Amino acid sequence: MNKVSRVFANYIWLVDTIRRYQPISFEELNEYWLLSPLSDGHELDKRTLRRSLDAIDEIFDIGIDCGRGRMAVYRLSESGSLRGRGVQRWMLSTMAVAGVVRDARHLQERILLENVPSGDLMLTEVTRAMQSNHLLHIRYQKFVDSEPYEADVEPYCLKLFHQRWYLLAHRPERSYLAMYALDRMLSAVETQQGFTLPDSFDSERHFAHMFGVFQPGKDENAPSRVILRTFNGEWNYLQTLPLHSSQTQMGKGKTEQGEEYVDFKLMVYPTLDFKLELLSRITNIEILAPLTLRQDICEMLKKGISRNS
């Protein structure tokens, strides 16, 4: 490992360890450090640690409070708590996993990762256009079309969903926003034509009631109140990994047949990707509301049964 790689590996280790065990004293931090392959058997130096924490704050925008005195402990500061800061949280999680895999090279054949489409190759050009507020000229190939098309789009924001990168963008000649999968972009080139991102646009608010990346239809003016009844322990999966940030648990009970269930409520648009997610769990859930969503799922099931009968 070269010097630069080692320095960044140290930064990632420090943030991950402090976040995991906070509040943590210098002595405790040093003990974990000596157990890490990064230490090479050398103890932490307080002055070097202080410089590292300053660099972490500057590079990753993650503040770490260290306190003063003999009883001082380290913890993420309120501004560095990563709550609601998706990019930093995702970045550090990814780098922490990479560090674990790197340190356990002899186990690489026993650590299986998911394949990710190559959309990340377009990230540099897309983010550069976003930073400069320039239109992006894309050559795009839809799955449903035989020929690609070209368009100039205003890049609003990026979203990662199910191992694919998507760009939410506006085409000047249209009145609505659309999603573009980066792995379906044949090319993406920043132009010199500028655009103004609307002051009213907020990426988190835009996706607040969406399950994934599918945009609600023009006739869908408000999200639906979805109530799901889960069976056979499916509630454990929804409790540990909610379907949506709006998900809340309503209650639990038993059916007349004595089958246990737990109910959940969500406020989401019933888009196609949400329906597909429900279909993947359909043997263990019942859609109590809205009735239209229940009917749509039934129709999709009927078509699937007909196709596979």
Side-chain angles (χ1 to χ4, degrees), residues 116-163:
V116 178
S118 58
D120 59 313
L121 299 177
M122 300 292 175
L123 275 176
T124 300
E125 197 70 16
V126 171
T127 54
R128 184 183 295 124
M130 289 171 61
Q131 286 180 318
S132 58
N133 281 344
H134 285 166
L135 268 69
L136 194 68
H137 184 78
I138 62 172
R139 188 164 178 262
Y140 195 76
Q141 176 69 67
K142 285 186 176 181
F143 285 148
V144 295
D145 293 342
S146 58
E147 296 294 329
Y149 68 87
E150 297 187 18
D152 288 334
V153 300
E154 301 170 352
Y156 275 34
C157 74
L158 284 163
K159 182 176 176 66
L160 182 64
F161 181 68
H162 284 179
Q163 289 81 55

Side-chain angles (χ1 to χ4, degrees), residues 227-231 235-236 239 248-255 259-265 288:
I227 300 178
L228 304 176
R229 177 158 290 178
T230 59
F231 301 91
W235 54 80
N236 293 311
Q239 287 168 342
T248 57
Q249 184 172 319
M250 297 181 65
K252 54 186 176 181
K254 288 187 178 182
T255 64
E259 192 174 11
E260 293 184 348
Y261 66 82
V262 177
D263 292 344
F264 295 91
K265 180 181 70 173
L288 301 183

Side-chain angles (χ1 to χ4, degrees), residues 6-44:
R6 178 175 288 276
V7 168
F8 272 87
N10 291 352
Y11 294 165
I12 295 166
W13 182 91
L14 282 170
V15 175
D16 186 55
T17 304
I18 293 171
R19 181 177 58 168
R20 192 185 305 270
Y21 300 109
Q22 63 181 330
I24 182 171
S25 67
F26 176 81
E27 290 73 20
E28 292 169 327
L29 189 61
N30 187 51
E31 289 178 10
Y32 286 115
W33 171 253
L34 291 173
L35 294 174
S36 167
L38 294 170
S39 71
D40 291 331
H42 300 296
E43 294 192 352
L44 275 176

Side-chain angles (χ1 to χ4, degrees), residues 101-121:
V101 175
R102 182 201 62 235
D103 293 340
R105 288 189 181 92
H106 63 290
L107 295 177
Q108 286 189 6
E109 293 183 358
R110 294 161 60 188
I111 300 176
L112 305 179
L113 304 175
E114 292 182 331
N115 290 326
V116 178
S118 58
D120 59 313
L121 299 177

Side-chain angles (χ1 to χ4, degrees), residues 149-265:
Y149 68 87
E150 297 187 18
D152 288 334
V153 300
E154 301 170 352
Y156 275 34
C157 74
L158 284 163
K159 182 176 176 66
L160 182 64
F161 181 68
H162 284 179
Q163 289 81 55
R164 294 180 190 270
W165 282 105
Y166 293 87
L167 172 68
L168 178 69
H170 173 248
R171 287 173 64 172
E173 69 273 17
R174 295 180 177 176
S175 60
Y176 57 88
L177 300 176
M179 298 296 292
Y180 299 89
L182 266 62
D183 61 300
R184 275 167 257 166
M185 289 184 185
L186 304 180
S187 64
V189 179
E190 179 188 6
T191 72
Q192 293 305 307
Q193 182 178 346
F195 75 95
T196 301
L197 188 69
D199 292 336
S200 59
F201 176 74
D202 182 295
S203 56
E204 290 192 8
R205 188 167 62 242
H206 180 84
F207 286 100
H209 295 292
M210 295 182 204
F211 168 73
V213 295
F214 279 57
Q215 306 294 291
K218 295 180 180 179
D219 57 339
E220 294 179 288
N221 298 319
S224 298
R225 180 175 178 264
V226 177
I227 300 178
L228 304 176
R229 177 158 290 178
T230 59
F231 301 91
N232 301 321
E234 183 70 22
W235 54 80
N236 293 311
Y237 295 95
L238 268 63
Q239 287 168 342
T240 54
L241 188 60
L243 285 175
H244 188 261
S245 59
S246 66
Q247 177 183 302
T248 57
Q249 184 172 319
M250 297 181 65
K252 54 186 176 181
K254 288 187 178 182
T255 64
E256 293 181 357
Q257 294 74 30
E259 192 174 11
E260 293 184 348
Y261 66 82
V262 177
D263 292 344
F264 295 91
K265 180 181 70 173

